[in-house]
Structures are given as C-alpha cells and as structure tokens.
Amino acid sequence: MSLFRLPHSLTPGRQHAGQGAGRYLGYAAGIIAAVFYGTNPLGTLPLYAKGITPGNVLLYRYGISVAIFLVWLALRRESLAIRWGHAIKLAILGMLMSLSSVTLYVSFHYLDAGVASTILFSYPIMTALLMVMFFHERVTWSTTLAIVLAVSGIALLYRGDGGEVLSTTGMLLVLLSSLLYALYIVYVNQFKMQMSAEKYTFWVVFFGWLTVMTYMVVIGEHPQWLRGTEWGWASLLALLPTVGSLFFINIAIRRIGSTPASILGALEPVTAVIISCTLFGEVFTLRLAIGMALILSAVIIIVSLARPRTS
C-alpha cells in the first residue's frame, strides 16, 4: 500500500482536524506540493523558446501525466471505476485546475515567469475569503492585515523599477488563474470521497486533459509534435508541477484543511523566482523583492496565527 494512501473512513471535512503524525504528514505534503508547482517555468520556458504554444505545452503536460497515473494504478491493480456523482465532481475539479494552468501559462507571454508566479500566490488570500463568504469562517484581524499586505505587494509588482506598467492583460490572467486555483482548493475540501489519492488525482488530471483539448478546439490552436529534448521538458512538467504537485496538495488539503494547505504555497513563488532568475536570466529587482516580501509576510501572518478547525 502506498505511504500516502488516504484511509477510506476519513473525509476532507474531518481529516484535517486530526493531530500527530497525520498533521505533520499534511504539512510536509503541502511544502512538497508548493516546491513542485513552483517548477512550472523550468519546463515551460524552454518549450516556449522552441515555439510550442501554451495549449500544446499543457496538452502534453496533462497527457503524459495521465499515462503516468495509468501505469501507476495498473501496477497497484486498482480499478478506475467511479460513481457518476463522483465523475461530475472530479470533472469540475479537473476543469478548475486545467483552466488555472491555461491562464497562468498564457500570462508567461505577458509577464516574467517569476513575477507571474509571485502574483499567483494571492490564491491563499482568495481561499481564505471564499471560506469566509461561503463557509462562514470567522474574519480575524490577522486575515484582514494579510489581505492588505498581499494587495500592497501585488500593487508594487504592477510597476517595474523603472516605473513601467506591467501588462494589464498579464496581471488579469494571473489573478484569474489564482482565483481558479483557490476555487479548486476550496472544492476539494468539500468533496467527500472513498478512493485512494492516486486514483482521485488520476481522474482530476484526466478531466483536466479533456478541458485543455476543448480549450484548444475553441480557440483554434492546432496540435504540435514534440521533438528531441522537448519531450524531456514536457515530461518534467508532467512529473513535478502536475503529478507530484496535485498528488501532494490533495493529501495536504485532506489532512490540514484548505486554507493552511494553500498558505504553505509560499514556497511556490520563491521556487519559481529562483529558477527564472538563475536559469533564464530574468532580473530580480528591488521592487520585485519588496513586493514578494509583502505577499510572503501576509502568508506568514496567516500561518502563524491560524488555528485548526475541529469540525
């Protein structure tokens, strides 16, 4: 049995209130998921440099991920069968996840990947707000302060050190990506299921793959064939920010809850900025550093003062 198989008797509304090893595993899974998701630029930018379009990058990213999970589940001799009710919910999750990826990847054409990944990290704040608005979580002073800091950080990122305004289209795309990912996290926490994490994640990725194909048809984006090292970059995208990130974030959400799991994503922009600046020559400016510091400060405030839910 996999180390990270979810016990069938536990549901998302109760599991994250657990204590001991289960919670430590949840925090560890959240950190791993954040680092993995932050590697998006590592595979995406080289493919863009080869002329591969965002839709095609995601088509291969999700398609290879589906193949990996199929092999994984076959080796475990686990059935793929699911109920129709679960299929509908998993399809919604897959759509939210893949559309979040689409909007983020398209934004890379308008913004530096490091800046885009930092702005994307507004999703923990959006997650907290969604939980307050729709699930009656209490608004605290720490949440309010965190929101102010996060918005201030994003405002700083909106202008470069030379005063130039960043692309409004790029900003809106990243914020939409952030909202979609926040909705995904909130919905995962409300979804009661009885299946392993591997099977659950397979279906999310599969429906995400179908969504990407639908997106390409709607905008008229034609498939491109990968060659040589391009397959390696696409496989890296499948393994780290897709299979690895989704698998571990699902574990984290079910063991510690939506808001704490999303807040642990503080390592996502850090990872993305390090990769973008060290490997792809993006400039790390003072304004970017301050903006990042404000956003990460918002996250630290929420993490340090968050109390686990008991029901």
Side-chain angles (χ1 to χ4, degrees), residues 98-113:
S98 59
L99 290 179
S100 176
S101 298
V102 167
T103 47
L104 176 64
Y105 277 35
V106 174
S107 77
F108 287 169
H109 285 300
Y110 298 91
L111 301 171
D112 284 349

Side-chain angles (χ1 to χ4, degrees), residues 129-272:
L129 289 174
L130 288 170
M131 295 301 291
V132 168
M133 290 187 293
F134 297 106
F135 300 100
H136 310 295
E137 286 196 351
R138 188 166 59 91
V139 180
T140 64
W141 69 265
S142 58
T143 301
T144 303
L145 177 59
I147 292 171
V148 172
L149 288 173
V151 171
S152 300
I154 292 173
L156 277 177
L157 295 178
Y158 190 58
R159 287 182 178 272
D161 277 354
E164 70 278 7
V165 177
L166 298 180
S167 166
T168 300
T169 300
M171 292 284 291
L172 291 176
L173 284 168
V174 179
L175 290 174
L176 177 57
S177 176
S178 181
L179 175 60
L180 290 167
Y181 192 51
L183 288 169
Y184 171 86
I185 289 176
V186 169
Y187 192 52
V188 166
N189 198 48
Q190 307 305 315
F191 180 17
K192 297 181 180 180
M193 67 171 188
Q194 292 185 350
M195 66 180 73
S196 69
E198 296 89 341
K199 179 176 176 178
Y200 174 91
T201 311
F202 162 78
W203 281 110
V204 171
V205 174
F206 175 77
F207 284 117
W209 189 37
L210 295 182
T211 302
V212 170
M213 285 190 280
T214 303
Y215 161 79
M216 292 180 67
V217 171
V218 169
I219 69 169
E221 190 170 329
H222 300 292
Q224 296 171 291
W225 186 252
L226 299 185
R227 296 179 178 84
T229 58
E230 295 169 0
W231 282 103
W233 295 119
S235 297
L236 184 145
L237 283 173
L239 285 170
L240 296 184
T242 311
V243 173
S245 179
L246 276 175
F247 178 68
F248 284 107
I249 193 63
N250 288 337
I251 292 172
I253 290 169
R254 296 183 180 285
R255 290 188 180 272
I256 62 176
S258 293
T259 302
S262 66
I263 289 168
L264 286 175
L267 290 176
E268 289 175 18
V270 174
T271 303

Side-chain angles (χ1 to χ4, degrees), residues 28-102:
I31 291 171
I32 294 171
V35 172
F36 280 179
Y37 197 77
T39 62
N40 262 303
L42 185 59
T44 306
L45 298 183
L47 290 173
Y48 281 4
K50 297 286 188 178
I52 307 300
T53 63
N56 277 281
V57 171
L58 288 168
L59 181 69
Y60 284 103
R61 172 185 165 183
Y62 279 88
I64 295 173
S65 299
V66 167
I68 292 172
F69 272 112
L70 280 175
V71 172
W72 190 347
L73 292 171
L75 291 174
R76 290 165 50 88
R77 297 182 180 179
E78 184 169 354
S79 170
L80 293 176
I82 55 175
R83 301 174 182 175
W84 278 107
H86 286 176
I88 294 173
K89 294 175 181 178
L90 288 166
I92 294 173
L93 287 171
M95 179 184 66
L96 290 173
M97 172 56 65
S98 59
L99 290 179
S100 176
S101 298
V102 167

